[in-house]
Amino acid sequence: MKAARLHEYGTPLVLEDVPVPDIQPDEILVQVKAAGMCRSDVQLIDGYFRKYADIPTPITLGHEITGVVYAIGAVVPKVAGFQEGDHVVVAPGWGDGVCRHCLIGNSHICPNVRWPGFGPYGGFAEFLPVPARYLIKADRSLKFEELAPLTDAGLTPYRGLKKLRDAGALGPNRVLGVFGIGGLGAYAVQYARILGGGATVVALARNAAKLAVAKEYGADHVINVKDKSAADVGKEISKATGQNGLDAIIDCAGAPEMMQLAFSLLSISGHYADVGLVGDRIDIPLFPRVSREQTFHGSYWGNNTDLSEVIALAAQGKIRHTIQNFKFNQLNEYIERLRAGDIVGRAVMTF
Ligand SMILES: [Zn+2]
């Protein structure tokens, strides 16, 4: 089968032919139909994650995966209801199934978690084996190239916004800031409308084309923050919304300068959910965090429940997509385009 693999950190993917993998009795062999490309693919190639987990090469990248059931392992329970040819998405975090996080459904933060696309098997290959419990069936009316990004770009901000909602940070008379309108942010503004309880949604980014997407997908106001001081951005928020500061923030970028800006705009009792990982370290003043009783939420990808909800919303036609489709043999070209910030929406590979 075709597979795109990283053999040495810091070098392009090698597009090669490798054997179709075997499956364990509790696994399903998925024939990949589409796989999204994520900024974290670039970071994986560049070695960003090595100080946290030094994954041995070769690595098959691609963690936003959808496809069809090709073969079913012998002990996959019949009650799971899978049949060959079913359309499925791959839930990303594969836990051990026995720790306290797995037992309440948060297998994506299991200490023994495995990730497709961060090891031997990934979506930039024609087949991969998946434990049956980490597959979710998808409605056949949904396009594969739209399903793929829902497993990360369309999932991660959903969980982050649920955290803000559950913390009581959203609702009428609240202003929510969505920072960074890349692959994730274009979904975040849509979920802000679905989950926001009537909150006013302000999208903030440095790129006019990306802000136009945010406006089209339901942001009440958009603010281009490029080369503007925090005071100037604060004035624009005040002018647009009638209030100073942001009651809730979902940060889809995680870039240090933007995080410093965002924290300076966070209201008294504000909640900040970060799902972006562009940077690795921030330097922010402590006193306002304490005296204004602000809360920071780390929010990582999503669990099976979150993904099931996203796939159901998609089946109801409630999610819009900005997709750039490309082919397997263009993988390295698109990695460079993503690195340069040239992709509006999500780049998705099909064979
Ligand atoms: Zn576990």
Side-chain angles (χ1 to χ4, degrees):
M1 67 171 186
K2 291 183 197 170
R5 301 197 300 174
L6 180 71
H7 283 263
E8 195 180 330
Y9 284 98
T11 64
L13 302 182
V14 179
L15 277 48
E16 55 194 328
D17 273 312
V18 300
V20 174
D22 295 325
I23 52 169
Q24 300 297 314
D26 64 343
E27 291 179 336
I28 284 177
L29 188 65
V30 173
Q31 182 177 23
V32 177
K33 292 294 184 183
M37 181 179 281
C38 180
R39 174 133 196 117
S40 58
D41 291 319
V42 178
Q43 291 174 301
L44 174 57
I45 292 169
D46 292 348
Y48 174 98
F49 301 110
R50 290 185 83 178
K51 61 179 172 289
Y52 303 108
D54 197 11
I55 306 163
T57 56
I59 302 166
T60 308
L61 277 73
H63 55 262
E64 294 188 337
I65 310 165
T66 183
V68 297
V69 171
Y70 191 82
I72 301 173
V75 305
V76 173
K78 289 275 180 290
V79 66
F82 288 109
Q83 294 186 321
E84 285 175 16
D86 280 348
H87 293 202
V88 289
V89 294
V90 178
W94 303 351
D96 54 21
V98 296
C99 78
R100 69 183 175 91
H101 307 288
C102 286
L103 288 173
I104 61 164
N106 286 330
S107 56
H108 67 299
I109 50 171
C110 172
N112 300 310
V113 70
R114 293 183 294 141
W115 303 97
F118 294 84
Y121 305 117
F124 297 155
E126 287 178 286
F127 293 92
L128 84 159
V130 181
R133 66 179 183 272
Y134 296 119
L135 285 177
I136 294 171
K137 281 205 257 188
D139 194 281
R140 280 171 187 264
S141 67
L142 296 165
K143 294 177 188 160
F144 287 116
E145 57 267 40
E146 293 181 348
L147 279 171
L150 291 179
T151 62
D152 180 4
L155 170 63
T156 301
Y158 186 78
R159 183 175 177 84
L161 278 162
K162 278 172 76 176
K163 289 198 173 202
L164 292 173
R165 180 195 65 183
D166 295 349
L170 304 177
N173 307 317
R174 304 296 180 90
V175 179
L176 165 69
V178 179
F179 281 75
I181 307 296
L184 280 68
Y187 291 105
V189 292
Q190 301 181 64
Y191 299 143
R193 301 237 67 97
I194 294 169
L195 299 169
T200 299
V201 181
V202 183
L204 304 98
R206 299 157 54 92
N207 178 309
K210 293 177 181 176
L211 284 169
V213 171
K215 185 79 186 166
E216 193 190 331
Y217 286 175
D220 297 298
H221 308 282
V222 299
I223 297 176
N224 193 326
V225 300
K226 193 165 193 229
D227 300 327
K228 284 181 193 156
S229 69
D232 287 345
V233 175
K235 277 183 205 151
E236 286 192 44
I237 291 171
S238 176
K239 195 172 161 211
T241 68
Q243 78 163 54
N244 292 315
L246 301 165
D247 302 302
I249 288 172
I250 181 152
D251 183 348
C252 297
E257 273 184 23
M258 204 180 253
M259 291 190 81
Q260 287 167 335
L261 169 67
F263 268 112
S264 76
L265 299 167
L266 191 59
S267 295
I268 294 169
S269 195
H271 287 255
Y272 191 124
D274 179 41
V275 299
L277 286 173
V278 168
D280 192 33
R281 227 161 247 289
I282 47 167
D283 183 349
I284 51 169
L286 178 60
F287 183 68
R289 314 286 82 83
V290 174
S291 65
R292 294 161 75 84
E293 295 204 339
Q294 297 172 339
T295 306
F296 178 84
H297 303 260
S299 187
Y300 195 41
W301 224 318
N303 64 20
N304 279 37
T305 303
D306 302 321
L307 184 55
S308 300
E309 290 173 19
V310 165
I311 298 301
L313 289 169
Q316 293 168 4
K318 290 181 177 161
I319 302 177
R320 293 162 71 192
H321 306 265
T322 304
I323 302 292
Q324 291 191 30
N325 191 216
F326 70 94
K327 294 294 175 189
F328 177 80
N329 61 9
Q330 297 175 290
L331 268 165
N332 283 312
E333 177 195 331
Y334 270 76
I335 283 167
E336 290 313 310
R337 290 182 60 177
L338 187 57
R339 188 196 301 280
D342 284 346
I343 307 284
V344 176
R346 202 56 153 182
V348 178
M349 179 216 71
T350 51
F351 286 99

